[in-house]
């Protein structure tokens, strides 16, 4: 959420307007030390500011205890250009006193008085007054807080000296803003804590509490404290899960009825700010369904992890997020169209993979690969289940009913929301090029799935691509067993495509792995698949060798072994007949000795 700390101004507003643009531009240019309360570590942060005219009505909620930390001003500034002591006593003093009384009436102690000096020392013949206006202000209003009164040389009058004066002003504003935030955060945490303690009351609403604590996360994110902002969402995540778990074994909270609506809309996660803002509006209006709420919560966690430089943790969190959400849907017994959850999981998986693909550092790429490999496999499995449901597997033609299913699923996934690009985003996209051109997403996850469900050819192309990426990623992180199992699925898919020559490669790799690790029964099943492939390929030599191996597998039933032994004899007889034609066939008979065991 794009928000900035609010700073109000009073006094000479015309004068302040001449300074506002310079302050806004220069304020985030340098860091300031933020000393936290309760022994929290000191942080160097950058602050921005949005200046607004002072409005006393905006502080009423703060006094009543129902305030928003986002909309509450963090600092109040009074600006004056009075350089004459008598003029100060006549009017300015009373104005400042009235302004401070108003702030004290709302229990606000974060203020600053800025005196803009235009006195030309040269024209005054270097005679300094005994008591300046700044001294009088400090004596009258800041005897114990002298640092809250500051003078600034007018830039138009003192161009050379004004630079140092302006730098001191920026440092003071940063310090006072962070001091104000320190007080506000402590007070707001007490408000959150008291609200959470009332969760057993009948009129308590989790959505209201969620929006309350999320504002604290926004503030921490705004100050660059991404890990602390993430903690807020993790706490909300855990609390929401606990409520749903309690509803299964105990009394169901009234506010949970908000989520008792069919999941006809199952948009996957999207890190598009426009889409996230739309979902947040639904949360505020309490018209959001469970998938939308869960997706929004995970999207916010993803953004904070990415900003904190931990993209691999996004991939690490995805699978637990998907599985826990599915369990919550089962617990609440929500009505869901067939295939809707598979679409949702696929889009979520592909969106996270696209994010991991933008990683640049080699160490981060390896970490992302460790967690993204099973995500590629998950996306492949979900796509296969959708293809089976919609009649898109090789050898099948979608029926009219299945075509209607595709239409309903496409409508439930929604349309891709275009992003609002600006100059900063364009520069970021140019820098964040994917490390592998093969994985560069040309389309959004939603559009890719819709295209795959549109035709058998598009489905086959995407399934093969996901399978190859899953295998290569598993191999990259040295998870060869998992790579071989994905290869088994891919080999079976090639069989349905009537391309046994491609399936043989994956079955052979799997067989080698199973033999190495002594998985004899699984190796026997793989030999059966290989025999079927060689028979379709009319590869007599390899078919003969495979039949002999199957006939010696003790893990198979006797009927199966007998059948393949007969096949072995038939094939061997054919090979022997070829001896007079093809002299190379003689070598085959010698190789077959390796497949027999002689018992005594």
């Amino acid at each position: 959420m794009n928000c900035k700390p609010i700073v109000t101004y009073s006094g000479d507003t015309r004068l302040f307007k001449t300074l506002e643009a310079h302050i806004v531009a220069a304020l985030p240019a340098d860091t300031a030390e933020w000393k936290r309360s309760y022994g929290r570590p000191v942080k160097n942060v950058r602050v921005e500011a949005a200046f607004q005219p002072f409005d006393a009505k905006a502080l009423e909620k703060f006094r009543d205890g129902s305030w928003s930390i986002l909309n509450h001003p963090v600092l109040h500034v009074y600006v004056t250009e009075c350089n004459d002591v008598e003029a100060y006593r006549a009017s300015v003093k009373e104005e400042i006193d009235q302004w401070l009384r108003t702030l004290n009436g709302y229990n606000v102690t974060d203020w600053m008085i800025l005196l803009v000096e235009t006195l030309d020392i040269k024209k005054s013949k270097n005679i300094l007054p005994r008591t300046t206006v700044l001294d009088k202000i400090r004596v009258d209003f800041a005897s114990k807080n002298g640092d809250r009164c500051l003078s600034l040389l007018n830039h138009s009058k003192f161009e050379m000296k004004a630079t140092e004066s302006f730098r001191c002003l920026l440092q003071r504003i940063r310090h006072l803003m962070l001091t104000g935030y320190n007080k506000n955060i402590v007070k707001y945490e007490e408000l959150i804590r008291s609200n959470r303690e009332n969760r057993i009351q009948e009129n308590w609403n989790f959505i209201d509490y969620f929006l309350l604590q999320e504002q604290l996360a926004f503030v921490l994110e705004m100050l660059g404290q991404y890990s602390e902002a993430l903690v807020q969402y993790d706490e909300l995540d855990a609390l929401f899960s606990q409520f749903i778990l309690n509803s299964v074994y105990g009394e169901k909270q009234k506010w949970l009825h908000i989520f008792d609506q069919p999941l006809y809309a199952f948009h996957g996660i999207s890190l598009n700010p426009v889409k996230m803002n739309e979902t947040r509006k639904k949360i505020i209006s309490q018209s959001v369904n469970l998938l939308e709420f869960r997706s929004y919560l995970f999207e916010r966690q993803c953004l904070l992890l990415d900003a904190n430089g931990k993209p691999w943790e996004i991939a690490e969190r995805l699978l637990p997020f998907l599985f826990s959400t599915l369990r919550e849907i089962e617990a609440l017994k929500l009505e869901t169209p067939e295939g809707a959850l598979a679409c949702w999981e696929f889009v979520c998986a592909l969106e996270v993979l696209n994010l991991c693909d933008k990683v640049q550092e080699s160490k981060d790429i390896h970490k992302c690969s460790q967690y993204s490999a099973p995500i590629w496999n998950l996306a492949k499995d979900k796509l296969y289940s959708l293809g089976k449901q919609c009649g898109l597997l090789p050898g099948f033609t979608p029926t009219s009913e299945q075509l209607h299913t595709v239409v309903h699923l496409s409508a439930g996934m929604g349309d891709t929301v275009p992003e609002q690009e600006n100059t900063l985003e364009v520069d970021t996209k140019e820098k964040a090029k994917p490390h592998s051109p093969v994985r560069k997403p040309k389309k959004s996850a939603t559009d890719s799935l819709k295209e795959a469900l549109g035709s058998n050819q598009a489905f086959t192309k995407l399934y093969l691509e996901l399978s190859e990426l899953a295998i290569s990623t598993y191999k990259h992180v040295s998870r060869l067993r998992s790579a071989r199992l994905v290869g088994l699925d891919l080999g079976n898919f090639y069989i349905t495509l009537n391309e046994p020559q491609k399936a043989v490669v994956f079955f052979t790799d799997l067989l080698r792995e199973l033999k190495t690790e002594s998985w004899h029964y699984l190796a026997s099943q793989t030999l059966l698949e290989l025999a079927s492939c060689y028979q379709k390929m009319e590869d007599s030599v390899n078919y003969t060798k495979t039949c002999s191996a199957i006939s010696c597998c003790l893990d198979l039933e006797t009927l199966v072994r007998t059948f393949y032994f007969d096949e072995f004899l038939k094939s061997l007889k054919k090979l022997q007949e070829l001896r007079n034609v093809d002299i190379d066939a003689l070598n085959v008979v010698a190789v077959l000795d390796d497949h027999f065991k002689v018992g005594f």
Side-chain angles (χ1 to χ4, degrees):
M1 186 175 181
N2 187 16
C3 54
K4 296 180 181 180
I6 297 175
V7 179
T8 70
Y9 57 89
S10 303
D12 193 340
T13 57
R14 180 191 58 80
L15 174 62
F16 182 79
K17 284 295 183 181
T18 63
L19 303 171
E20 180 180 0
H22 301 288
I23 296 176
V24 170
L27 204 57
D30 199 3
T31 60
E33 192 176 73
W34 186 20
K35 296 181 179 180
R36 311 288 301 279
S37 57
Y38 299 121
R40 294 170 180 171
V42 178
K43 300 290 183 68
N44 290 322
V45 301
R46 297 181 186 272
V47 294
E48 297 181 89
F51 290 94
Q52 296 179 2
F54 177 72
D55 183 12
K57 295 181 180 179
L59 300 177
E60 292 181 358
K61 291 185 177 181
F62 179 75
R63 182 175 56 186
D64 298 338
S66 58
W67 56 294
S68 165
I69 194 172
L70 278 178
N71 301 325
H72 181 70
V74 69
L75 181 64
H76 303 270
V77 181
Y78 188 92
V79 184
T80 181
E81 199 178 10
C82 179
N83 294 286
D84 182 69
V85 176
E86 296 300 326
Y88 163 75
R89 290 173 178 173
S91 60
V92 176
K93 179 180 178 180
E94 184 178 351
E95 293 175 2
I96 296 177
D97 183 64
Q98 182 64 32
W99 175 68
L100 286 176
R101 285 178 182 272
T102 304
L103 293 178
N104 291 332
Y106 292 103
N107 300 321
V108 175
T109 59
D110 301 304
W111 52 268
M112 184 182 78
I113 300 175
L114 176 62
L115 174 65
V116 180
E117 295 182 343
T118 56
L119 179 65
D120 196 333
I121 300 178
K122 293 182 180 180
K123 292 184 179 180
S124 301
K125 298 180 181 180
N126 297 328
I127 299 176
L128 297 176
R130 294 182 179 179
T131 304
T132 63
V133 175
L134 182 63
D135 294 333
K136 294 295 294 180
I137 293 175
R138 285 175 175 169
V139 171
D140 294 336
F141 304 107
S143 58
K144 297 181 180 180
N145 301 296
D147 60 339
R148 292 189 176 273
C149 299
L150 192 69
S151 64
L152 173 67
L153 293 178
N154 194 321
H155 188 272
S156 60
K157 301 290 183 179
F158 303 95
E159 186 173 353
M160 298 296 294
K161 297 182 180 180
T163 303
E164 180 65 21
S165 176
F166 186 71
R167 187 180 65 83
C168 293
L169 171 64
L170 294 176
Q171 290 178 346
R172 182 55 51 192
I173 292 177
R174 294 187 190 107
H175 172 72
L176 293 178
M177 286 180 64
L178 292 175
T179 302
Y181 259 132
N182 209 25
K183 297 177 183 177
N184 289 347
I185 288 177
V186 171
K187 189 175 182 66
Y188 199 74
E189 286 176 337
E190 293 177 358
L191 178 64
I192 293 174
R193 193 178 301 110
S194 62
N195 190 294
R196 184 172 60 247
E197 290 174 353
N198 295 330
R199 63 186 179 275
I200 59 175
Q201 296 182 3
E202 187 176 359
N203 60 346
W204 191 84
N205 191 320
F206 177 80
I207 297 296
D208 296 335
Y209 175 77
F210 174 85
L211 296 172
L212 184 71
Q213 187 166 352
E214 187 184 32
Q215 291 190 41
L216 178 58
F218 284 149
V219 169
L220 293 170
E221 179 187 8
M222 182 172 54
L223 295 174
Q225 307 306 305
Y226 303 114
S227 58
E228 294 187 32
L230 181 63
V231 170
Q232 308 304 319
Y233 285 105
D234 289 343
E235 290 179 356
L236 291 168
D237 188 348
L239 184 61
F240 184 75
S241 298
Q242 189 62 47
F243 273 120
I244 293 184
L245 182 63
N246 293 343
S247 68
V248 177
Y249 300 102
E251 185 179 356
K252 191 173 183 180
Q253 296 280 345
K254 284 187 175 181
W255 58 265
L256 270 175
H257 294 295
I258 298 172
F259 301 101
D260 284 343
Q261 50 180 304
L263 301 179
Y264 295 138
F266 36 90
H267 309 160
I269 65 171
S270 173
L271 302 185
N272 186 334
V274 178
K275 188 251 183 185
M276 293 175 63
N277 287 334
E278 292 178 356
T279 306
R280 189 168 189 272
K281 291 178 182 178
K282 288 186 177 181
I283 296 175
I284 295 174
S285 62
Q286 299 187 3
S287 60
V288 66
N289 66 33
L290 181 63
L291 281 183
E292 290 173 334
F293 177 76
R294 270 301 185 184
S295 296
Y296 174 80
L297 186 55
F298 187 74
E299 288 162 0
R300 289 293 305 157
Q301 291 171 324
C302 290
L303 285 178
L304 292 172
L305 287 169
D306 189 39
N308 203 27
K310 296 181 178 180
W312 64 86
E313 194 169 333
I314 299 175
E316 181 183 6
R317 287 175 174 232
L318 178 66
L319 294 183
F321 157 69
L322 295 177
F323 299 150
S324 62
T325 303
L326 295 180
R327 288 196 299 268
E328 290 173 359
I329 293 174
E330 294 177 0
L332 296 178
K333 300 178 181 179
L334 301 181
E335 180 183 350
T336 308
E338 185 180 0
L341 296 180
C343 291
W344 178 74
E345 290 182 82
F346 179 88
V347 173
C348 291
L350 218 58
E351 190 72 23
V352 170
L353 291 170
N354 291 341
L355 181 63
C356 292
D357 194 50
K358 299 176 183 178
V359 176
Q360 297 294 308
E361 298 293 334
S362 58
K363 59 179 182 179
D364 294 343
I365 293 175
H366 183 72
K367 289 181 180 179
C368 284
S369 298
Q370 286 181 320
Y371 299 110
S372 62
I375 301 177
W376 286 113
N377 189 33
L378 174 73
K380 180 259 304 179
D381 291 340
K382 295 305 171 183
L383 181 64
Y384 185 88
S385 65
L386 288 170
K388 184 177 181 180
Q389 178 186 349
C390 300
L392 297 172
L393 295 180
F396 291 87
T397 302
T399 62
S400 59
E401 183 180 352
Q402 289 172 328
L403 292 175
H404 283 298
T405 300
V406 172
V407 172
H408 290 310
L409 291 178
S410 299
M413 285 186 284
D415 298 325
T416 302
V417 180
E419 295 187 14
Q420 294 180 349
E421 294 191 359
N422 52 40
T423 306
L424 179 61
E425 289 177 349
V426 172
D427 294 340
T428 304
K429 290 180 180 179
E430 290 178 355
K431 294 179 182 178
K433 295 181 179 179
H435 56 268
S436 173
V438 178
R439 296 188 183 181
K440 184 177 181 180
K442 297 181 180 179
K443 297 181 180 180
S444 67
T446 302
D447 292 339
S448 298
L449 181 56
K450 287 183 179 180
E451 182 181 356
L453 297 180
S455 66
N456 295 66
Q457 294 78 12
F459 168 81
T460 300
K461 179 182 178 181
L462 184 58
Y463 181 83
L464 294 177
E465 179 183 350
L466 294 176
S467 300
E468 292 288 354
L469 286 169
I471 293 173
S472 61
T473 310
Y474 272 130
K475 289 181 178 180
H476 178 69
V477 295
S478 302
R479 293 182 59 179
L480 296 181
R481 291 181 186 172
S482 300
R484 303 306 185 211
L485 292 177
V486 178
L488 175 62
D489 294 337
L490 186 55
N492 290 328
F493 191 79
Y494 275 123
I495 293 297
T496 60
L497 286 173
N498 198 23
E499 297 181 9
Q501 68 279 4
K502 294 182 179 179
V504 164
V505 178
F506 300 102
F507 290 152
T508 304
D509 290 341
L510 177 62
L511 179 62
R512 188 184 306 112
E513 188 77 19
L514 294 174
K515 285 184 175 180
T516 302
E517 300 188 5
S518 301
W519 293 92
H520 302 298
Y521 178 76
L522 297 178
S524 302
Q525 299 299 321
T526 307
L527 282 172
L528 295 176
E529 298 289 346
L530 275 173
S532 176
C533 291
Y534 288 134
Q535 188 176 27
K536 293 178 181 178
M537 295 167 57
E538 297 181 354
D539 187 344
S540 301
V541 174
N542 286 313
Y543 180 68
T544 305
K545 294 167 60 177
T546 306
C547 288
S548 66
I550 294 174
S551 63
C552 298
C553 290
L554 301 177
D555 299 289
L556 296 176
E557 295 181 359
T558 305
L559 290 176
V560 176
R561 295 173 61 190
T562 304
F563 172 79
Y564 278 97
F565 182 74
D566 294 339
E567 288 292 309
F568 161 70
L569 294 178
K570 293 177 183 178
S571 182
L572 184 61
K573 185 176 182 181
K574 291 181 181 179
L575 289 175
Q576 289 175 339
E577 293 175 355
L578 293 174
R579 289 170 60 183
N580 297 328
V581 180
D582 186 3
I583 193 65
D584 293 334
L586 291 172
N587 296 329
V588 177
V589 180
V591 175
L592 293 179
D593 293 338
D594 297 335
H595 295 286
F596 290 94
K597 294 181 180 178
V598 180
F600 297 96

